[in-house]
Amino acid sequence: MKSRISVFRLLCLKNVISSAFSSQAYANKPLPQRSLFKSSPKDSLVDRLCKENKYNEAIYVLCEQNRIREAIQILNRVKKPSASLYTALIQGCRESGALEEGRNVHKHINASGLLPGVVICNRLLDMYVKCGSLVDAQNMFDQMGERDLCSWNTMISGYAKVGLLKEARKLFDEMPERDNFSWSAMISGFVRHDRPEEALELYRMMQKSENSKSNKFTLSSVLAASAAILCLRVGKEIHGHIMRIGMDSDEVVWNALSDMYGKCGSIEEARCIFDKMTTRDIVTWTTMIDRYLEDGRVQEGFDLFSKLMRSGMRPNEFTFAGVLNACADHIAEEVGKQIHAYMMRVGFDSFSFPASALVHMYSKCGNIENAKRVFNYMPRPHLVSWTSLITGYAQNGQPEKALRYFELLLKSGTQPNHITFVGVLSACTHAGLVDEGLRYFHSIKEKHGLTHTADHYACIIDLLSRSGRFEEAENIIRKMPMKPDKFLWASLLGGCRIHGNLELAEKAAGALFEIEPENPATYVTMANIYATAGRWDKVATIRKKMVGRRVVKKPGLSWIEIKRKQHVFLVGDTSHPKSKEIYEFLGELSKKMSEEGYVPDTNFVLHDVEEEQKEQNLSYHSEKLAVAFGIISTPPGTPIKVFKNLRTCVDCHTALKYISKIFSRKIIVRDSNRFHCFEEGNCSCKDYW
């Protein structure tokens, strides 16, 4: 019906244009009036048609130009509007979302005496639904003397799309007959609004119905429902049904199958589906790559991304952003640099979110200079870019620059969000700027109208407790509107470790033991605090608790990349091929460090053993092994970058300052808390971490 009307309107427009320039005079004499349409040649045409009383033709022209309001103004001059004219006007209102104009057309139909048939009524229904007025649509539906399948489907689809599923289901149950559209509209509505179980229940009903057959839209919806409830068994059942009815060659179905298997954790089957697809668009590629990345199979995700680039198909913004975020999460700077180079070759929009993802990636990988270069390339940086750069400066030991960029953000007119303030408060924490941090903390609510989050409270408690201002920290905790979380208690416990506040440490640890009794970090920190206080009986108690609860200390490991190969070290590791050279180097290094005045800090060695044994235990921490390997494997003066999964200990931190001075090396260590940049005997954190 829609195609017939479109053809009719085009033919009518053709006749209008030819007759407008005809030498024959029109039979009726035009009414005296002002010329209303003279701003363009098109307006001149409409004006001429009106002067010749060709109002129907003028309305069709205006509808084609999407000038609905002007078309309705002329409608009052038409003596007996035809059903096709009303249809053109209703369609124009629908396409332009002109609800008020649509209501006026409806009123005109009622006032004209025309008895609209089911086709015009369905057009009105559809117009009201598309314009977002389900109240008008329902009134129209209730007044219809005759309804067909299209009438019911229009209402059901309209309710289902906006989440009014109760109303949609009521109509669905009442309708005299159903087709594939009816079932698909209802099922997709349940899926879209997070009610996958009901979608699957309805699909089972549909399979029992004799007159209904699944199409690609129904199947993609029920596969999405299976993925939503993570039910691989149901997904496989639907896959079997797809094979039986011969829908296994449809691209939409293949994509839905791959997505279902990926979300249900069956990556191999998702990849099998992916490899069998004859045609793949960029959405298909991106979805499969994201499945690998989300499942922690990062290298396979990177490999598939490389295959995509070799295929000749260009990645889109979502592809770039997903892979760059994975590079950030897994500190894969070299891969990130390659992607950046590719983006520069093919060209990318500096306004896009992949540009923000580049800033984030470089910041997380510790290359703050590259992050800044990308940021400066952006004409109008997104809030994500501002936040990434601010957080990057904070974590890379440049808190002053972090705060300066926050002030620039405010001057730019960009509104910060709660994540931005986490970066700002972290900068204050890393710099020990307590009063400034408190000022920023209070400004979140008072100046910027935001609500304090649990992360904000954790940051401010971290700042206060590191500075030894425990009374203020406890006051804030007491006044918090929400229950303190594990991050806040861990921040407080860390401050107690620094200042030896045993009483408050026991309170924080007690809360952490309740929240996450399986986390070994709490036990280790408390054991360190007791060891420093000489409470070896308490250390023994902590260790017994760990054994009783089967809590195992997470092994510290560090890694370094040399010539694009990653080398991983554990404490006291002897498995590396160059272990002999590493330990010989550390032996010589120990002598040089002692000559420079280095004294091992044995305060946090847990075992109640002789001092000499304590020093030996400290000598072979994983970051020292990694740094030693980096020095013997690279030319003099080459910067060393090491990553560690845990917080670096006090002794290693001191030792690395000496090593940087002795060998004139820039040594960057990324621990679980921040970046440390050691240079000429100093650290960027200024011993405040």
Side-chain angles (χ1 to χ4, degrees):
M1 181 67 189
K2 180 178 177 181
S3 61
R4 289 204 302 269
I5 291 171
S6 297
V7 171
F8 172 79
R9 286 185 355 202
L10 288 172
L11 289 172
C12 188
L13 180 59
K14 183 178 179 182
N15 292 334
V16 166
I17 294 171
S18 61
S19 64
F21 296 95
S22 173
S23 59
Q24 294 179 353
Y26 196 73
N28 294 324
K29 185 179 179 181
L31 295 170
Q33 57 186 331
R34 289 186 301 163
S35 183
L36 300 176
F37 308 98
K38 286 190 176 178
S39 59
S40 71
K42 291 180 180 179
D43 290 344
S44 298
L45 172 61
V46 173
D47 187 61
R48 184 169 183 176
L49 290 169
C50 289
K51 286 180 178 178
E52 296 174 357
N53 284 354
K54 297 179 180 179
Y55 299 117
N56 283 6
E57 291 87 338
I59 289 172
Y60 282 120
V61 171
L62 289 169
C63 286
E64 289 290 339
Q65 296 174 7
N66 202 28
R67 295 161 65 183
I68 306 303
R69 187 170 295 178
E70 295 165 82
I72 293 172
Q73 288 175 1
I74 300 175
L75 180 61
N76 292 322
R77 300 180 184 179
V78 180
K79 290 182 179 179
K80 287 186 178 181
S82 64
S84 62
L85 185 66
Y86 281 129
T87 299
L89 284 164
I90 295 166
Q91 185 70 10
C93 294
R94 175 192 178 278
E95 290 173 358
S96 58
L99 177 60
E100 279 306 314
E101 286 74 11
R103 285 171 175 161
N104 288 335
V105 174
H106 189 180
K107 289 175 185 176
H108 201 283
I109 293 172
N110 291 337
S112 70
L114 176 72
L115 293 175
V118 69
V119 173
I120 289 186
C121 288
N122 283 342
R123 290 282 182 184
L124 284 166
L125 266 185
D126 188 46
M127 181 272 296
Y128 282 132
V129 168
K130 294 299 187 298
C131 291
S133 181
L134 287 169
V135 173
D136 284 317
Q138 185 65 58
N139 289 336
M140 180 76 228
F141 183 79
D142 292 339
Q143 292 168 15
M144 289 174 66
E146 179 189 357
R147 301 169 186 151
D148 62 7
L149 190 57
C150 179
S151 316
W152 290 92
N153 283 343
T154 300
M155 289 303 302
I156 290 167
S157 175
Y159 278 128
K161 282 181 180 177
V162 299
L164 295 172
L165 299 174
K166 183 179 178 181
E167 291 81 354
R169 184 59 190 265
K170 182 176 182 293
L171 288 172
F172 180 83
D173 291 338
E174 291 174 356
M175 65 191 307
E177 61 174 323
R178 304 183 184 107
D179 62 2
N180 284 340
F181 185 90
S182 317
W183 291 98
S184 296
M186 200 66 239
I187 290 170
S188 64
F190 279 129
V191 174
R192 188 182 295 113
H193 296 284
D194 301 321
R195 290 165 68 173
E197 292 88 355
E198 289 165 272
L200 291 170
E201 180 188 344
L202 203 60
Y203 176 65
R204 293 186 187 99
M205 284 176 57
M206 178 183 178
Q207 287 180 300
K208 295 175 183 177
S209 174
E210 295 180 0
N211 299 325
S212 299
K213 292 182 180 180
S214 301
N215 59 26
K216 60 183 179 181
F217 303 109
T218 316
L219 291 169
S220 60
S221 291
V222 292
L223 285 168
S226 303
I229 61 173
L230 302 178
C231 188
L232 185 60
R233 178 185 58 80
V234 173
K236 284 186 173 182
E237 288 176 5
I238 298 168
H239 188 180
H241 177 66
I242 289 168
M243 301 289 285
R244 288 192 297 274
I245 64 175
M247 290 289 291
D248 53 325
S249 60
D250 186 87
E251 186 178 342
V252 173
V253 175
W254 275 115
N255 277 320
L257 274 169
S258 178
D259 188 57
M260 181 275 295
Y261 279 121
K263 286 181 178 176
C264 290
S266 186
I267 305 296
E268 283 73 19
E269 289 183 81
R271 181 60 187 268
C272 183
I273 296 290
F274 176 85
D275 289 337
K276 287 179 180 178
M277 295 174 71
T278 53
T279 57
R280 309 184 192 105
D281 60 14
I282 191 57
V283 175
T284 308
W285 281 94
T286 303
T287 300
M288 192 67 236
I289 291 167
D290 285 346
R291 290 286 163 266
Y292 278 126
L293 299 178
E294 289 168 6
D295 199 48
R297 296 164 65 167
V298 181
Q299 191 55 54
E300 289 167 279
F302 289 161
D303 291 343
L304 189 58
F305 179 75
S306 298
K307 187 176 179 180
L308 166 62
M309 291 195 290
R310 292 193 300 271
S311 74
M313 184 175 290
R314 181 170 172 171
N316 65 15
E317 292 184 344
F318 298 98
T319 324
F320 283 129
V323 178
L324 287 170
N325 285 331
C327 292
D329 293 339
H330 297 276
I331 322 295
E333 186 181 355
E334 285 305 313
V335 177
K337 282 182 175 178
Q338 292 172 33
I339 296 169
H340 187 187
Y342 176 82
M343 289 169 67
M344 294 297 288
R345 285 197 303 273
V346 301
F348 70 99
D349 184 1
S350 57
F351 290 95
S352 64
F353 51 83
S356 296
L358 275 171
V359 177
H360 176 63
M361 183 274 294
Y362 280 124
S363 295
K364 286 288 291 285
C365 292
N367 193 335
I368 198 67
E369 289 304 314
N370 272 7
K372 183 183 174 183
R373 287 191 192 99
V374 176
F375 181 87
N376 289 339
Y377 176 71
M378 302 171 72
R380 288 194 300 276
H382 293 271
L383 177 59
V384 174
S385 305
W386 283 102
T387 301
S388 296
L389 195 65
I390 289 166
T391 305
Y393 274 124
Q395 292 187 337
N396 282 275
Q398 300 181 55
E400 295 83 5
K401 286 188 177 179
L403 298 178
R404 181 155 59 85
Y405 269 91
F406 177 69
E407 296 301 328
L408 289 172
L409 177 151
L410 296 178
K411 289 180 182 177
S412 74
T414 305
Q415 293 299 315
N417 63 12
H418 73 278
I419 301 173
T420 315
F421 276 105
V422 171
V424 171
L425 293 173
S426 296
C428 294
T429 300
H430 292 315
L433 302 172
V434 183
D435 293 332
E436 288 86 343
L438 285 168
R439 179 170 60 82
Y440 282 121
F441 177 78
H442 292 304
S443 75
I444 292 172
K445 188 174 182 179
E446 295 170 3
K447 184 177 179 181
H448 299 281
L450 299 172
T451 304
H452 286 124
T453 67
D455 291 334
H456 297 151
Y457 280 105
C459 286
I460 201 66
I461 296 304
D462 191 24
L463 174 60
L464 291 169
S465 58
R466 282 173 182 271
S467 304
R469 294 166 67 164
F470 294 110
E471 187 175 339
E472 291 172 77
E474 287 188 278
N475 284 336
I476 287 177
I477 293 172
R478 277 193 292 268
K479 295 176 182 177
M480 281 176 63
M482 74 277 288
K483 189 176 180 180
D485 63 9
K486 61 183 180 180
F487 301 107
L488 184 146
W489 289 119
S491 297
L492 184 62
L493 183 61
C496 292
R497 178 191 59 79
I498 294 169
H499 296 281
N501 190 329
L502 189 56
E503 182 182 348
L504 194 54
E506 289 176 333
K507 179 181 177 181
L512 286 168
F513 287 144
E514 287 184 13
I515 296 171
E516 45 176 8
E518 74 288 349
N519 187 353
T522 308
Y523 298 88
V524 173
T525 304
M526 275 310 299
N528 280 332
I529 293 171
Y530 284 133
T532 303
R535 298 290 304 274
W536 296 104
D537 57 326
K538 291 287 189 179
V539 174
T541 302
I542 289 288
R543 298 188 70 183
K544 282 180 183 177
K545 279 185 180 180
M546 292 180 72
V547 173
R549 296 176 181 177
R550 297 182 180 181
V551 176
V552 180
K553 180 184 176 183
K554 188 177 181 180
L557 60 90
S558 299
W559 62 96
I560 184 172
E561 190 172 295
I562 303 292
K563 295 180 181 178
R564 297 192 176 184
K565 184 180 179 182
Q566 195 176 86
H567 301 263
V568 182
F569 298 89
L570 292 165
V571 61
D573 201 341
T574 57
S575 63
H576 195 275
K578 289 198 173 183
S579 286
K580 184 179 178 183
E581 293 95 318
I582 291 170
Y583 281 95
E584 286 176 355
F585 175 82
L586 285 173
E588 292 297 319
L589 176 61
S590 181
K591 295 175 185 177
K592 291 180 181 179
M593 288 168 61
S594 296
E595 291 170 2
E596 290 288 331
Y598 164 71
V599 177
D601 188 336
T602 60
N603 285 333
F604 296 111
V605 179
L606 289 182
H607 303 284
D608 190 10
V609 295
E610 295 299 321
E611 198 69 22
E612 185 178 343
Q613 180 62 45
K614 288 183 180 182
E615 292 181 14
Q616 188 175 352
N617 291 342
L618 289 168
S619 298
Y620 307 129
H621 278 190
S622 62
E623 58 264 58
K624 288 180 182 174
L625 297 176
V627 168
F629 175 68
I631 291 174
I632 65 176
S633 303
T634 57
T638 305
I640 304 293
K641 185 180 282 189
V642 170
F643 298 90
K644 186 175 181 179
N645 66 329
L646 302 177
R647 182 182 180 277
T648 192
C649 73
V650 175
D651 178 73
C652 286
H653 191 269
T654 303
L656 290 170
K657 288 196 287 186
Y658 278 94
I659 296 170
S660 70
K661 183 179 180 182
I662 291 168
F663 291 95
S664 298
R665 294 277 192 130
K666 183 178 182 180
I667 301 172
I668 300 169
V669 176
R670 174 65 164 101
D671 67 6
S672 61
N673 195 40
R674 63 173 295 158
F675 280 94
H676 299 267
C677 182
F678 300 94
E679 205 165 7
E680 293 299 323
N682 297 303
C683 180
S684 58
C685 75
K686 299 179 176 63
D687 298 336
Y688 195 90
W689 87 107

